[in-house]
Amino acid sequence: MEKQSHFLIIVCFFFFSFPFQQLLQTGPTRGLTKLFVFGDSYVDTRNRNFRARSWKQPYGLTLPGRPNGLYLDGRVFSDYMENIASWMGIGSPIPYRWRKMENASIEHGMNFAFGGTGVFETLVSAPNMTVQIDLFQRQLQKTLYSKADINSSIALVSMASNDYTAYLARNGTTEGLSAFTKAMIKQLGTMKFKDQQRPCCEAVITGYKCGNVEGGKNMHVVCNNPNSKFFWDVHP
């Protein structure tokens, strides 16, 4: 990571994470005390109000047996947030919506994610990524967190398909998807990645995919520096 920033960021993009794989290889990161979360339903830990579908049947049917504000029926990524934080030596961050509740603790960070949202405005009326970051900055302006807190924090950013769903619903074309994806990446400020649309692992011949082997020969090539790429591979 670049030296000027001590605020480690994990980006989960279409269920792919960078540099989460590297973090898993090196083991728990010591010295981190807080986790700040931004994104959509995959990491939303009950920020949507009680009118949201996540608080209605049949959500939570299998686990915990009733609607509980999570957009799931069993265990998905949202359900493992506490385990991830604990693995890194950090307590579970408080959902932004519950920060003023009695006995609410902000010492482990805060979760600003809202289900149904994206980088841009989607079909859901809830804070998108830009607004979520603004909410985070307001907490800093209130001095709820110090510079030392931020320097010992990690940020998790999750994005799924909400931006694309909204794009297509608003008459977006398949030809414009590439440009739209670039716009999302630019909005996130991740332009430090070179050739954003080109994956690190790619086929050498049309018809093959990353991981394909034929006759003992790899039908794919891997880039020299995986950390310089936003995507690892291309797959459905």
Side-chain angles (χ1 to χ4, degrees):
M1 300 300 291
E2 297 181 357
K3 295 295 184 180
Q4 67 267 25
S5 176
H6 300 284
F7 194 33
L8 180 60
I9 299 177
I10 297 174
V11 180
C12 298
F13 192 76
F14 312 132
F15 318 115
F16 171 88
S17 63
F18 178 90
F20 199 33
Q21 293 172 334
Q22 178 181 356
L23 186 62
L24 290 176
Q25 292 171 0
T26 58
T29 303
R30 304 301 178 186
L32 296 176
T33 62
K34 292 173 177 56
L35 173 64
F36 294 97
V37 184
F38 309 87
D40 50 27
S41 59
Y42 286 92
V43 288
D44 178 1
T45 51
R46 305 177 184 87
N47 269 321
R48 294 293 301 275
N49 61 39
F50 293 114
R51 293 189 297 273
R53 290 184 296 114
S54 57
W55 290 100
K56 302 176 181 178
Q57 296 286 355
Y59 287 95
L61 181 64
T62 299
L63 182 75
R66 66 183 187 284
N68 67 340
L70 299 181
Y71 285 86
L72 54 85
D73 175 47
R75 294 186 184 278
V76 294
F77 196 63
S78 300
D79 226 16
Y80 294 103
M81 286 298 299
E82 291 187 11
N83 291 338
I84 293 173
S86 177
W87 178 78
M88 292 185 293
I90 307 172
S92 181
I94 188 77
Y96 170 78
R97 184 168 180 263
W98 306 102
R99 70 195 187 285
K100 295 182 179 180
M101 295 290 290
E102 186 177 357
N103 298 323
S105 173
I106 64 170
E107 65 175 313
H108 303 303
M110 198 170 290
N111 187 325
F112 298 90
F114 283 80
T117 64
V119 177
F120 300 121
E121 292 296 329
T122 62
L123 304 179
V124 172
S125 179
N128 65 12
M129 196 77 67
T130 299
V131 178
Q132 291 174 29
I133 293 174
D134 285 342
L135 294 175
F136 166 67
Q137 291 177 332
R138 291 179 190 176
Q139 310 314 305
L140 300 185
Q141 292 171 355
K142 295 176 182 177
T143 65
L144 292 182
Y145 299 105
S146 66
K147 183 177 181 180
D149 288 332
I150 300 305
N151 286 342
S152 62
S153 298
I154 185 170
L156 174 65
V157 181
S158 168
M159 298 172 295
S161 60
N162 297 322
D163 282 294
Y164 288 103
T165 299
Y167 169 80
L168 295 174
R170 293 165 179 156
N171 299 317
T173 64
T174 54
E175 292 80 7
L177 281 174
S178 178
F180 182 70
T181 300
K182 289 180 180 179
M184 285 198 297
I185 295 173
K186 184 177 181 179
Q187 179 70 12
L188 282 174
T190 55
M191 295 303 288
K192 65 179 180 180
F193 297 104
K194 299 178 180 179
D195 302 322
Q196 292 89 348
Q197 299 305 299
R198 188 173 181 178
C200 178
C201 182
E202 55 187 344
V204 295
I205 301 175
T206 302
Y208 291 91
K209 298 179 180 179
C210 177
N212 287 161
V213 178
E214 187 173 285
K217 181 180 179 180
N218 288 333
M219 303 307 293
H220 62 268
V221 293
V222 178
C223 65
N224 293 326
N225 182 14
N227 288 348
S228 69
K229 299 291 184 177
F230 194 84
F231 295 103
W232 167 251
D233 69 352
V234 174
H235 57 271

